[in-house]
Each structure stands twice: as structure tokens, then as C-alpha cells.
């Protein structure tokens, strides 16, 4: 094996690893919302968790990626520790699908025509051709992702063939044969499997390399089996690295991954060593092929899953015992863990959840701040101020996370969702600011012991009720992604604008008539402005919900369209106008929408 073969081997390995990454990333895009829905169904039920881990890993084709993602979810407080155990057990089975795909390279040239059609070098060029055509002409993002999957698979198989070709001289090298003899020591073979996988950080890739070697050189079953056991343990390195700097429970997720694979070696390696030394099994001395590797890899993980699934709580308790608590602070979950960025569709879903949590706090502040105008309570005011600090923190964390997320390789739909989330967090934070402003006005009125006139109180009740409804409808439309509810906001906002304009005119007249003091007048005017701005921010959020479903809508054009010709808008406007009514101060006041 000369220097040029080594160069070719490196190139083949590069294509192989890139193909795996491209295919898994593209498969995740194709799955899109489906993967997100699967993750939302995460449950403590062992069977469902096990099935979920298997399916998700089969999609992303990396048990390490799934475990790292689980660390992020636990660190964020989205999942509890026990839920992750069965998912990790399932992930170890799901990751074996790659070995089965790669085993197709073992189909012999002398095989029948139908089997030959399954040989990757037969169909992968066609996959590459179809994939490139789809990338070039497809307008749908999902179809483009399907094209990328086909290209990734073709590159993966090309890399496999290139590695096999580069390593073909190994079959005639005495030094290689001597090395293989040395690996008949199971302990040494396990260590080799661990080290190779730790370097590559992918058991699928390291098993693929082993399969490529078996295509051109003799590797016996007694050498391959311990290496595969070691490869399963070596893949834990990604989870271990990801657990640095997270809370105790998140570190325990990595511990569970290590414990599962350590138990696998502790159970299977002694059985293998004893059986191989006592019983003369001819199969152990014969050469293994890629099909054999895929078969053992799957059988081993299924066997361990059957053994360990009944002992989920024991595995969790072992992780708790080996990784004890250090401080109460470590139990605090982060708002959003960056490890969730591994799966952008899920990261977007979690951002949406956190925005809803933020909106819940905003709703609490708004409802209670308006109540303070009638009856001020110092303790409740402190809760609102504390909530406002949390709301600001949510906006900062979400914005920072979403900006990082926008730098990922995203579909157009995901990019639009991120834009909507960025706008929504800003609008909710501003509504929170206006709620705090209302509280401060209530506080000033309480300290000065000044009361609004009965007329002003009646007007304010109408406006507060209308603004409360627009906020609740907006929140529900945003939370459920309901376009029909979002379309209710524009006419209600127009009614609120008209009411506030009319109330301001009535207030100015009372000021002229000496029925209101200048100080109270400023407070009342600020109060009306805060309520008006809350309604406007609700309008922004509703428009973003509508835009997400119809990308052709321009926000400026939508807000400034000719509403006199929009029958649906007029009907809704008249309905809200009849519900929220403040009489005119003078007959000659002009009615405007």
C-alpha cells in the first residue's frame, strides 16, 4: 500500500463522512414537522420511548446526535431524566440502519441480475443524477431536501467504494495479516473499536470503515465482534463532550449512554470470550462480510434492549449514583440549550413554546396591572415587576438563540417561522413594557390619592375590556397558529383606535370644563397611549401569523389596504363596534375607521 493509496483512502473517507452528514441532515429536513411531532410525543412509557428513540435515530442516523439532543432537552428542563433512558436504548438500534445500507456493497458481481440491481455501484449513480436534477429544478424545499438525500447516499456509497479500492493492497500485506492476528485478543480489539470511534465520533462511520476493510481483506468474526462492541462504547464520546458545562441531570443523560454500552460489553464480551475458548466454533475463524457486521450490530443492540428495557429505573439510579448532586444551582434548567440546535425544526418548536410561556407572563402582567387601576396591592405589584424582569430575560435569550438558529441550514418555511418568532418576542416584550407602565400609573394614582371621574372610569372600562379581548384572541391565534382568529384582530384594533380617539376628545373637553386636573390628565393620556400601543402590537403579531400562511402578503400593504371595500372586515368591524361603544361627546364628531 503506497502513499497514493493512502491519499485515495483519505479522500474516500472524506466522501464517506460527508455523505453520512449530508444524508442525515437532509433526512431531518424531509421529516420536518413530523420529527417535531414525534419529539412532542415524548413519554415516560418505556415502550413508546423505545420506539421513539429507534425512529428518530433512524431518521437522523446518529445515536450520538440524538443523545446530545437529549442532553440539551434535559438541561432546558423540557424532559426528565427517566424519559431519556428508553429513548437512548432505542437510539442504539436505530443507528444500525446505516450498516445495513452499507452492507449492500457486499453483493457479488456474479450474483443474479435482480441482486445486482441492489448493488450500490449500480443504482447510486442514478440516485446522484436524480438528486442533482431535483436540486436544480424543484421549487418545493422538501423535494430539494429529497434530492440532497439521494446525493448524500450516492456520495456515501462512492466514498465506501473508494475506501475499499484504496485498501485492496492490504490483502497481500503480511504486516496487515499480522495485525489482524494480534486483534484476536478481544480486549485489544475492543480498545481499537473504542479509539477509532472516539476519533471519528460516529459508530455508523467507524462500522462503515470496518465493512470496507472486510470487502478487501480477511477479517474474522472473532476479531470483528469485539471491535463492534468497542465501537458501540466509543460513540459515547460525543455525549460526554456535550455534557461539559450542563446541569447534573443533563450530565446523567451522557452517563446513561455510557452505562448502557458498558453493560453491553460487560455482559457480551465475557460470554464471547468463554464460548470462543471452550467451544471450537468454525464460524469464528471464518471471514466476516459487511452483511455479517450489519447483522451482528443489529442483533447485539436488540439483545441488549430486550435485557435492559425492564430495568429502566435501575439504569437511571445508576446514573444518579455515579453522578451525584453537587449544588442546588445545578438543578436550574436553562431557557434554551444550544444542543437543541442539532435539530432545527425541533429547536424552532421549543422557541415557540418558550414564546408562549413569555406571553403567559405578559398576560398575567396586563390583567393584573389593569386591575391595579381600581384597587392597588403592593404585593401584587412586586410580582408584576419580577415578571417583567423575567420577560426581558426571555426576549434576550430567545433573540440570541433564534439568531444562532437562523445561521443553520434551514428550509424556507423554517426561516419564515424564525422571522415570525423574532417579531413576536419583540411585540410581546413591548406589551409587557406597556403593562408595567400601566402599573406605574396606578401606583402614582394610589400615592397621590387621586381618582378618575366617573365618566373617565366608564370609558376606561370599555377600552380595557376591548384591549383584553384583542390580547386574548391574539394570544390564542399565535399559540394555535389560527389564521381565522388572527383575521379578527384588524377590525377590533380599528374599533379600539376609534374609541380611544373619541375618549381623548371627551377628556380634552372635561379638562377645558375644569372637571379634571392637569396632573391626572397626563396620567390618563399616558394610560390611553399604553392601551393603544398594546392593541397595535397585537395587530403586528396577528399579521405575522397571517403572513406565515400567505407569504405574498406585505405587512405595510395589508395594514394600509382599502378597508372600505373589504366586506368581511366591515362586518367584523360593525360587530365589535356594537359591543364596545362610547357615546360621542358632540353630534358633529366625525366617524372614521
Amino acid at each position: 500500500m503506497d502513499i497514493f493509496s493512502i491519499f485515495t483512502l483519505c479522500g474516500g473517507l472524506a466522501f464517506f463522512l460527508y455523505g453520512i452528514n449530508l444524508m442525515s441532515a437532509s433526512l431531518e429536513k424531509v421529516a420536518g414537522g413530523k420529527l417535531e411531532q414525534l419529539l412532542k410525543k415524548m413519554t415516560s412509557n418505556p415502550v413508546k420511548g423505545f420506539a421513539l428513540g429507534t425512529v428518530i435515530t433512524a431518521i437522523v442516523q446518529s445515536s450520538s446526535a440524538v443523545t446530545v439532543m437529549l442532553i440539551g432537552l434535559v438541561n432546558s428542563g423540557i424532559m426528565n431524566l427517566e424519559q431519556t433512558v428508553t429513548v437512548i436504548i432505542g437510539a442504539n438500534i436505530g443507528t444500525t440502519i446505516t450498516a445495513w445500507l452499507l452492507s449492500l456493497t457486499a453483493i457479488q458481481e456474479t450474483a443474479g441480475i435482480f441482486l445486482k440491481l441492489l448493488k450500490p455501484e449500480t443504482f447510486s449513480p442514478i440516485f446522484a443524477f436524480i438528486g442533482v436534477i431535483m436540486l436544480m429544478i424543484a421549487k418545493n424545499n422538501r423535494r430539494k431536501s429529497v434530492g440532497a438525500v439521494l446525493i448524500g447516499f450516492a456520495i456515501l456509497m462512492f466514498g465506501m467504494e473508494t475506501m475499499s479500492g484504496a485498501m485492496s493492497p492490504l490483502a497481500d500485506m503480511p504486516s496487515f495479516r499480522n495485525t489482524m492476528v494480534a486483534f484476536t485478543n478481544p480486549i485489544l480489539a475492543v480498545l481499537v473499536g473504542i479509539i477509532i470511534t472516539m476519533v471519528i465520533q460516529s459508530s455508523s462511520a467507524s462500522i462503515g470503515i470496518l465493512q470496507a476493510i472486510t470487502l478487501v481483506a480477511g477479517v474474522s468474526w472473532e476479531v470483528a465482534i469485539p471491535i463492534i462492541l468497542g465501537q458501540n462504547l466509543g460513540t459515547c464520546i460525543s455525549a460526554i463532550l456535550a455534557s461539559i458545562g450542563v446541569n447534573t441531570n443533563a450530565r446523567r443523560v451522557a452517563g446513561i449512554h455510557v452505562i448502557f454500552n458498558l453493560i453491553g460489553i460487560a455482559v457480551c464480551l465475557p460470554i464471547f470470550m468463554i464460548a470462543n475458548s471452550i467451544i471450537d466454533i468454525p464460524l469464528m475463524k471464518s471471514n466476516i462480510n459487511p452483511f455479517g457486521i450489519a447483522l451482528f450490530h443489529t442483533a447485539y443492540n436488540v439483545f441488549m434492549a430486550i435485557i435492559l428495557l425492564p430495568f429502566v429505573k435501575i439504569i437511571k439510579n445508576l446514573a444518579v449514583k455515579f453522578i451525584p448532586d453537587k449544588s442546588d444551582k445545578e438543578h436550574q434548567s436553562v431557557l434554551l440549550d444550544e444542543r437543541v440546535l442539532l435539530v432545527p425544526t425541533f429547536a424552532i418548536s421549543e422557541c415557540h413554546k418558550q414564546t408562549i410561556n413569555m406571553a403567559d407572563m405578559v398576560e398575567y402582567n396586563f390583567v393584573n396591572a389593569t386591575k391595579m387601576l381600581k384597587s392597588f396591592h403592593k404585593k401584587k405589584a412586586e410580582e408584576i415587576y419580577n415578571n417583567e424582569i423575567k420577560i426581558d430575560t426571555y426576549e434576550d435569550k430567545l433573540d440570541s438563540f433564534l439568531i444562532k438558529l437562523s445561521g443553520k441550514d434551514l428550509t424556507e418555511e423554517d426561516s419564515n417561522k424564525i422571522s415570525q418568532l423574532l417579531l413576536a418576542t419583540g411585540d410581546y416584550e413591548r406589551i409587557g413594557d406597556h403593562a408595567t407602565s400601566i402599573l406605574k400609573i396606578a401606583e402614582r394614582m394610589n400615592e397621590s390619592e387621586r381618582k378618575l371621574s366617573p365618566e373617565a372610569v366608564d370609558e376606561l372600562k370599555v377600552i380595557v375590556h376591548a384591549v383584553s379581548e384583542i390580547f386574548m384572541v391574539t394570544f390564542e391565534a399565535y399559540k394555535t397558529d389560527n389564521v381565522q382568529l388572527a383575521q379578527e384582530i384588524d377590525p377590533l384594533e380599528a374599533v379600539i383606535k376609534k374609541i380611544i380617539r373619541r375618549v381623548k376628545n371627551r377628556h380634552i373637553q372635561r379638562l377645558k370644563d375644569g372637571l379634571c386636573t392637569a396632573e391626572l390628565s397626563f396620567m390618563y393620556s399616558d394610560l390611553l397611549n399604553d392601551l393603544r400601543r398594546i392593541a397595535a402590537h397585537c395587530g403586528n403579531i396577528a399579521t405575522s401569523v397571517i403572513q406565515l400562511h400567505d407569504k405574498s402578503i406585505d405587512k405595510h400593504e395589508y395594514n394600509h389596504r382599502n378597508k372600505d371595500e373589504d366586506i368581511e372586515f366591515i362586518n367584523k368591524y360593525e360587530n365589535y363596534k356594537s359591543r364596545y361603544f362610547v357615546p360621542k361627546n358632540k353630534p358633529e364628531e366625525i366617524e372614521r375607521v
Side-chain angles (χ1 to χ4, degrees), residues 518-534:
E519 183 184 358
L520 205 55
S521 172
F522 285 124
M523 293 183 194
Y524 190 60
S525 180
D526 288 343
L527 190 56
L528 294 176
N529 287 335
D530 283 322
L531 292 167
R532 169 70 189 89
R533 292 307 305 157
I534 288 172

Side-chain angles (χ1 to χ4, degrees), residues 186-196 226-227 230:
I187 304 299
L188 180 60
V190 167
L191 290 174
V192 168
I194 292 172
I195 292 168
I196 292 173
I227 290 176

